[in-house]
Amino acid sequence: MHAIEDLAGFAADHPRGALPVAVRDAIRDLVTDLLGAAAAGLHTPLATAARGAAPALHGPGPCGVWFTGMGLSVAGAAMANAAAASALDIDDGHRGAAGHPGAGVIPAALAVGQALGSDDAAILDAIALGYDVALRVGASRPTGSFDTYASGRWVGYGVAVAAGRLLELDAGAMAHAMAIAGAEGPISFATGSSAYQGSTVKEAIPPAVVAGLTGAFRARAGATGPLDLLDRDDRFARVRLTGGLGADWALLHCYLKPYACCRYMHAAVDAIAALRQPGRPVVSLAIETFPQGLRLSNARRPATLEAGQYSYYFSCALAALHGVTALQPVDPAWLHDADVLALAERITLSAHADFADAFPVGTPCRVIVDHGDGPRALTVHHPLGDVANPMSRAQITDKFRRIAAANVPAARRDAVLAALDGLTADGFAPLLAALKHDTTDTMTQQGGTTDALLV
């Protein structure tokens, strides 16, 4: 049997509503975290362009574009919401897969569930199974075989599973849904081969969402895909793909991100926060990291938020001068701040032998900073949000309130969080109702950002 068929059989036939309590609670936290990321990214160029293109490309429909009042088709809403959720690089991730599952799986599951009127148990199952399959595919790739860490390469498999589960595909059709999504998903450029880290292409998650949805709906209509797609042992380790299905849920091993920058540098940011002496000059700042960290674009003077998210120099200079709140999320004005850019020019960044084999299981960093009284060093192996250093429910909701504040008024944030707190008991209907409210006019009156494409 092909690996895709094993995964499809598990995804299609897993008993309905039989998720462990820990998995259901984790879904509540992951949805909370992702909606915060989407609210924070709502008016970024990436998200604004996606919303502007979606009606013409995908047409109107019953599925909500979160926090806007817009109704689009399944693909349009899922793509637009995925763009907002992934825009600021503050969405959930997974060490083994080296990428971000939630920004693909959750928008797809909620859009399909809303369009079909799926019940709560079905949506929860779809999210859990979508995460599991996506992360198994991503984590099964031997590290040396990666030509890109872009999440769009593998998250479409999970989107196809989430949609297929809600469409009630049988195991055979589910396998073809995954195969179509995998064969026709975005290619994305190899890491270091392009300037894509400074553009709105980024992780290629929105097109992977469209590809995954397309795979599920086409499979329901009878289309077929290459079922041997995951059968290459040099590219996909079978034991990671299919071992322990249903016994160890991959979403329980996701990390959350308190800062709007690539996860590679979160350990450095935590170390800077611990060593920082506000008000004192930074005489020198050195960062020692794992070799893959040097493969980021690492622009000292990033021109866009996306470029800043992939720069140790910029993100760490910002944290050193203005604290971690400046990364929750990043105000585009910091891209032009003379002091931040001057420090970014002086930071030294190197790979250290201590961390040579850390990635992707870990992303440790050592920071050496001198505030004028001699160098002080700190090594962080598990930054805040890692499975070994998790964020509490209170920290997750606090993150939501903080990063959504610029785009969503306080009363609306409270309504969304109340619905999220009751998600496992009350279901998705209160949440979808809270997300439907258009915050644009309210935020304009309060002096917040507006979006001409929504008027």
Side-chain angles (χ1 to χ4, degrees):
M1 183 175 287
H2 298 298
I4 278 182
E5 292 177 304
D6 281 345
L7 290 169
F10 166 65
D13 298 335
H14 187 269
R16 174 184 170 82
L19 298 175
V21 172
V23 172
R24 287 187 274 126
D25 288 345
I27 291 172
R28 177 202 59 193
D29 289 345
L30 290 167
V31 173
T32 302
D33 190 76
L34 192 82
L35 289 174
L42 187 65
H43 296 297
T44 60
L46 192 161
T48 301
R51 281 196 305 280
L57 282 171
H58 301 291
C63 305
V65 179
W66 304 332
F67 306 108
T68 69
M70 293 177 69
L72 294 176
S73 67
V74 169
M79 185 273 287
N81 289 330
S86 61
L88 291 176
D89 214 351
I90 202 167
D91 46 319
D92 68 48
H94 185 273
R95 291 289 192 211
H100 307 283
V105 172
I106 291 173
L110 293 189
V112 176
Q114 191 172 14
L116 298 178
S118 303
D119 62 36
D120 300 320
I123 298 174
L124 288 168
D125 287 346
I127 292 172
L129 292 161
Y131 263 85
D132 209 62
V133 168
L135 290 173
R136 283 174 176 274
V137 174
S140 71
R141 303 172 300 166
T143 302
S145 74
F146 288 22
D147 59 354
T148 177
Y149 295 104
S151 307
R153 284 289 189 93
W154 48 265
V155 76
Y157 290 96
V159 171
V161 164
R165 178 77 183 198
L166 291 166
L167 291 170
E168 300 182 352
L169 300 185
D170 63 23
M174 184 76 83
H176 285 294
M178 293 172 59
I180 294 167
E184 297 186 346
I187 296 173
S188 192
F189 286 101
T191 302
S193 68
S194 164
Y196 79 93
Q197 285 180 341
S199 72
T200 57
V201 170
K202 255 184 88 177
E203 287 276 340
I205 293 173
V209 168
V210 175
L213 292 169
T214 301
F217 279 82
R218 284 178 59 196
R220 184 178 68 164
T224 60
L227 297 180
D228 62 347
L229 206 57
L230 303 179
D231 290 347
R232 288 187 55 178
D233 292 339
D234 60 329
R235 289 191 173 271
F236 303 98
R238 185 66 174 257
V239 68
R240 298 294 300 273
L241 274 172
T242 60
L245 285 167
D248 184 20
W249 291 87
L251 60 75
L252 296 176
H253 305 290
C254 285
Y255 61 76
L256 303 182
K257 299 177 66 176
Y259 317 125
C261 58
C262 179
R263 188 62 174 177
Y264 289 14
M265 60 198 71
H266 278 224
V269 172
D270 278 353
I272 288 169
L275 295 171
R276 182 171 177 260
Q277 297 180 28
R280 299 195 64 187
V282 180
V283 176
S284 65
L285 178 57
I287 301 166
E288 297 172 348
T289 189
F290 50 98
Q292 288 82 359
L294 273 60
R295 296 177 64 185
L296 299 179
S297 55
N298 286 321
R300 292 186 188 268
R301 292 178 170 268
T304 64
L305 283 176
E306 288 81 13
Q309 292 159 16
Y310 292 106
S311 172
Y312 276 88
Y313 301 114
F314 173 78
S315 295
C316 292
L318 184 56
L321 292 180
H322 299 285
V324 297
T325 57
L327 292 163
Q328 296 174 322
V330 177
D331 186 326
W334 291 125
L335 295 170
H336 311 290
D337 185 86
D339 292 336
V340 172
L341 296 178
L343 179 56
E345 292 286 355
R346 295 191 290 112
I347 291 174
T348 62
L349 174 68
S350 61
H352 197 282
D354 287 352
F355 312 129
D357 299 320
F359 187 83
V361 175
T363 55
C365 284
R366 180 180 297 117
V367 167
I368 305 100
V369 63
D370 186 350
H371 283 287
D373 51 2
R376 300 163 63 218
L378 180 63
T379 300
V380 172
H381 289 280
H382 303 292
L384 180 62
D386 265 14
V387 175
N389 184 17
M391 294 171 66
S392 66
R393 176 68 186 168
Q395 287 175 310
I396 296 168
T397 58
D398 181 65
K399 172 188 168 181
F400 179 98
R401 292 184 187 280
R402 186 170 57 252
I403 69 174
N407 294 332
V408 182
R412 185 54 46 184
R413 296 198 302 274
D414 289 344
V416 172
L417 283 173
L420 286 162
D421 285 341
L423 186 64
T424 56
D426 303 327
F428 287 89
L431 177 61
L432 293 173
L435 291 173
K436 187 176 180 180
H437 183 80
D438 188 344
T439 64
T440 304
D441 290 341
T442 305
M443 293 308 296
T444 301
Q445 294 166 10
Q446 295 180 354
T449 305
T450 188
D451 186 342
L453 290 173
L454 300 184
V455 176

